[in-house]
Amino acid sequence: MNESLVEVENLRKSYGKTEALKGISFKVNKGEIFTLIGPNGAGKTTTLEIIEGLRKKDGGKIRVFGEDVEKGISRIKPKIGVQLQHGALYEYLTVKEVLILFASFYKKRASIEAILKKMALKEIAHKWTKALSGGQLQRLRIATTLVNDPELLFLDEPTTGLDPQSRRYIWKMIEDLREEGKTILLTTHYMEEAEKLANRIAIIDRGEILSIGTPADLITKYGGKAGMYIRVIEKKEEKEYRINLKNSGAEAPQILQEFAKKGIEVKYVEIKTPNMEDVFINLTGKELRE
Amino acid sequence: MLFKFTIYRIKMFVRDKLALFWTIVFPLLFVFIFCGILGRSGEFKLSVALVIEDSGPIVNELVQGLEKGGIFTLKKGIDFEEAKENVEKGRIDAILVIPKNFSSSLFAGGASLIVYYDKTRTQNAQIVSSVFQQLALEISKKTLGLKKFPIEVNLEGITRKRSIENASYSAFFIPGALTMALMAMGLFGVGGGIPREREKGLLRKLATTPLRRLSYGLAFVFQSAILALLQAVIIIGIGASVFKVNFLIRPLDLVIILVLGGVTFASLGFLIGSIAKRSSSAEGLVNVFYFPMMFLSPVFFPASLLPPIIRKISNILPSTYLVGVLRKSLIIGSSFKQIFPDLLGLGAWILGTAILASFIFRWTEER
């Protein structure tokens, strides 16, 4: 059995009459990237902030490193790193100064130089954070979570609002952190991000977890069947066929042969395998809004 | 963590032009405007009391010469005791005494007269004596046909009795401007700063670290205390150099006053920043404290100008304690024992606001 660093059991939270979390449960195992994915307002940030000790829960149990969050937060804080979804840093401090300042809050400290290098911040180490671009600032915000060399990281939508290049850059860094052995609880509303990074995914919508599993498991279970899209010239007329595949594409050559036998000229073929997007649509009945 | 946080807070402050403006430049603007208009530094006309104990044509000619010269504002028909009292109160800059037997000893070959001056302003004595010698030399050439005028001018200092009532406006206002500066640091800097950090999400981020709320508060307090010293050096320095105010500096007392003053307003600011959740509401709350304190306390004008009822309110304001104790120390040179009650007043404000703030301050709305 894997060691769980985070255990959430039947967590409930309401804001006034709105039930933000309707009793969710999941575990984050040591060494994995666990991703909560869902649309805005699904309850991802609320979940994270309750685990981080920033919000109070209405019901349920949460343990981090085996400690109850409400009672043991002061013992938990030194071992976690938190990147919140929103929030600026001290604008009149330089990149390096921000890291030194945050490091000074901890007894156990990682090497600032190493963090600067790892997060590609070395060249802008002496820039005021005020002057950073969106991607640079986001890298710095993630870098601040590493100053205490934490075992467990919380990254709340680490790439939201970034351009595709910056996003890929940060993905690489998050993968490197997993390689180092860090456990990461990440939220996103980008399916691609979840598929690329997550060992396991929890799909959350309207305060409920609809399913948890590896990306492959979820796709097999809920992705639906692969489809084949064919455009042909039949009797001098262009026609389109959509065919559901049973064996995720293995029967495709056979289908094409049958067209050939009938003397139909095939102009274009596309096989569409299901992805997390399909899983999401099939589970929630709607597309993931951005 | 506290040491680093304090150092970085000071760094951030010094890099923030707007913060520097409100806490240093803005009070200095007031210094230049008020001391420039109401201070006496602009006109350079010394007031000199003439005490004439002798008579005769030479004496008359000297007096006429002084009147024509127009360099001094002359006060005549005054006896020495009265003149001395005026110097002690800072109302007259110097006294010129033409003693009995002045004329006769002059013809006998050598006369002397005495210039009494305010000890805190030696340069005035030199101006009076050199002007007088110049004048005497002219008269001697013209009237007596002598090449040298055998007069010896003796200088004698009078210790000015220092009191706040007798102080020049510049001396009166500069402690007020310094009070304004410390108020701005605590109220705008700390009181406005905390809600800004809350809005930026910095407090949430800090809440996820082991940083304690006490350390967060103390970093502001230390920042204000240290920067208060810097503000004082600049504002008192400009008062002394540009407006020629002669302050009595008791270094240790002054440091204690400034640190307590800085901490008083930092603590009040922290309380405001704990109550106001948004910077817009903090701004309003800051102004509710800042402007009444500026105008109800004797920052610009003496408390005696305030209506009695308002004076009762004024008397318990932290700004009144601070400006009062600064004036006592800088203008009169009061001893530590004499300023101790005022320091206690500041201490009470610190204690009260800090205790309240410690109950009210939250990192986030829920925690």
Side-chain angles (χ1 to χ4, degrees), chain A residues 36-49:
Chain A
L36 279 173
I37 188 157
N40 292 330
K44 305 186 296 289
T45 298
T46 299
T47 305
L48 240 61
E49 291 190 343

Side-chain angles (χ1 to χ4, degrees), chain A residues 182-197:
Chain A
K182 304 222 181 290
T183 305
I184 299 169
L185 174 49
L186 178 141
T187 74
T188 184
H189 57 240
Y190 297 122
M191 281 300 167
E192 199 191 350
E193 185 163 303
E195 251 182 292
K196 170 114 173 92
L197 295 176

Side-chain angles (χ1 to χ4, degrees), chain B residues 88-109:
Chain B
E88 283 169 350
K89 286 184 177 171
R91 289 180 191 152
I92 289 178
D93 294 302
I95 311 169
L96 188 65
V97 180
I98 300 176
K100 266 182 200 166
N101 311 328
F102 176 75
S103 305
S104 54
S105 42
L106 183 65
F107 290 111

Side-chain angles (χ1 to χ4, degrees), chain A:
Chain A
M1 190 61 198
N2 280 327
E3 186 192 340
S4 299
L5 297 195
V6 180
E7 292 160 280
V8 176
E9 238 182 273
N10 198 24
L11 175 62
R12 282 182 289 108
K13 172 77 180 176
S14 300
Y15 298 115
K17 281 183 183 169
T18 317
E19 250 188 306
L21 297 174
K22 300 169 184 165
I24 65 167
S25 304
F26 63 88
K27 285 179 181 174
V28 180
N29 297 327
K30 193 173 164 74
E32 73 173 344
I33 297 182
F34 185 90
T35 300
L36 279 173
I37 188 157
N40 292 330
K44 305 186 296 289
T45 298
T46 299
T47 305
L48 240 61
E49 291 190 343
I50 293 171
I51 301 172
E52 293 154 359
L54 292 177
R55 289 187 186 278
K56 283 183 180 159
K57 62 180 196 286
D58 292 342
K61 275 185 193 159
I62 301 174
R63 296 186 156 291
V64 178
F65 299 111
E67 295 247 23
D68 181 89
V69 166
E70 307 246 303
K71 289 179 197 141
I73 190 70
S74 60
R75 286 184 295 275
I76 295 169
K77 278 178 181 178
K79 295 194 280 186
I80 61 171
V82 177
Q83 175 245 311
L84 299 169
Q85 190 178 344
H86 301 292
L89 293 163
Y90 288 107
E91 52 187 356
Y92 289 106
L93 289 184
T94 68
V95 167
K96 194 174 175 182
E97 286 168 344
V98 164
L99 293 176
I100 292 172
L101 177 63
F102 276 100
S104 77
F105 303 154
Y106 297 90
K107 285 201 182 93
K108 181 184 170 197
R109 292 169 202 170
S111 149
I112 300 294
E113 289 303 321
I115 294 172
L116 286 171
K117 205 175 154 197
K118 199 186 300 178
M119 301 308 290
L121 294 168
K122 217 161 184 172
E123 280 176 20
I124 50 165
H126 298 290
K127 251 192 184 180
W128 289 1
T129 68
K130 205 183 171 182
L132 300 184
S133 72
Q136 290 169 335
L137 188 65
Q138 192 60 3
R139 275 178 358 242
L140 175 59
R141 296 176 77 236
I142 296 173
T144 60
T145 68
L146 304 175
V147 293
N148 54 331
D149 191 20
E151 294 169 50
L152 176 62
L153 288 175
F154 297 91
L155 306 178
D156 195 358
E157 303 205 358
T159 67
T160 296
L162 298 183
D163 59 83
Q165 198 192 346
S166 303
R167 186 173 296 166
R168 288 209 181 83
Y169 210 42
I170 286 176
W171 288 350
K172 174 76 176 62
M173 287 164 180
I174 293 172
E175 282 178 327
D176 289 347
L177 290 172
R178 173 174 50 195
E179 290 301 304
E180 284 176 28
K182 304 222 181 290
T183 305
I184 299 169
L185 174 49
L186 178 141
T187 74
T188 184
H189 57 240
Y190 297 122
M191 281 300 167
E192 199 191 350
E193 185 163 303
E195 251 182 292
K196 170 114 173 92
L197 295 176
N199 296 90
R200 291 193 305 135
I201 293 174
I203 294 179
I204 182 170
D205 189 34
R206 292 180 186 157
E208 287 176 293
I209 288 185
L210 304 179
S211 188
I212 300 180
T214 65
D217 281 351
L218 291 175
I219 290 167
T220 314
K221 263 194 195 157
Y222 305 106
K225 296 194 167 102
M228 198 169 175
Y229 168 77
I230 306 170
R231 209 160 60 220
V232 298
I233 308 284
E234 196 175 345
K235 296 170 187 165
K236 291 182 183 173
E237 261 181 62
E238 205 171 273
K239 272 192 176 176
E240 287 179 6
Y241 289 95
R242 282 169 201 274
I243 300 158
N244 280 338
L245 301 174
K246 280 172 194 153
N247 290 325
S248 60
E251 66 267 54
Q254 211 183 326
I255 294 168
L256 290 175
Q257 268 177 11
E258 274 169 34
F259 275 104
K261 270 184 206 164
K262 289 179 188 166
I264 298 168
E265 186 190 349
V266 177
K267 297 285 281 184
Y268 178 84
V269 180
E270 187 186 318
I271 293 174
K272 200 180 162 297
T273 50
N275 57 19
M276 284 303 300
E277 203 80 44
D278 301 304
V279 172
F280 193 82
I281 292 167
N282 291 336
L283 278 172
T284 65
K286 64 190 174 193
E287 284 189 38
L288 187 60
R289 304 176 294 266
E290 285 221 352

Side-chain angles (χ1 to χ4, degrees), chain A residues 13 15 49 53-56 70 77-78 80 82 84 87-94 97 100-102 104-106 128 141 144-145, chain B residues 1-2 4-5 8-9 11-13 15-18 197 200-211 216 363-367:
Chain A
K13 172 77 180 176
Y15 298 115
E49 291 190 343
L54 292 177
R55 289 187 186 278
K56 283 183 180 159
E70 307 246 303
K77 278 178 181 178
I80 61 171
V82 177
L84 299 169
L89 293 163
Y90 288 107
E91 52 187 356
Y92 289 106
L93 289 184
T94 68
E97 286 168 344
I100 292 172
L101 177 63
F102 276 100
S104 77
F105 303 154
Y106 297 90
W128 289 1
R141 296 176 77 236
T144 60
T145 68
Chain B
M1 66 176 96
L2 184 51
K4 201 126 263 160
F5 211 171
Y8 278 11
R9 279 237 172 270
K11 269 194 182 180
M12 288 187 252
F13 175 84
R15 289 170 184 175
D16 182 355
K17 289 196 187 80
L18 206 62
E197 294 192 357
K200 279 185 192 164
L202 265 162
L203 293 196
R204 297 181 82 75
K205 170 71 181 170
L206 293 175
T208 69
T209 74
L211 180 74
Y216 178 74
W363 288 123
T364 69
E365 275 153 49
E366 295 188 26
R367 293 270 161 179

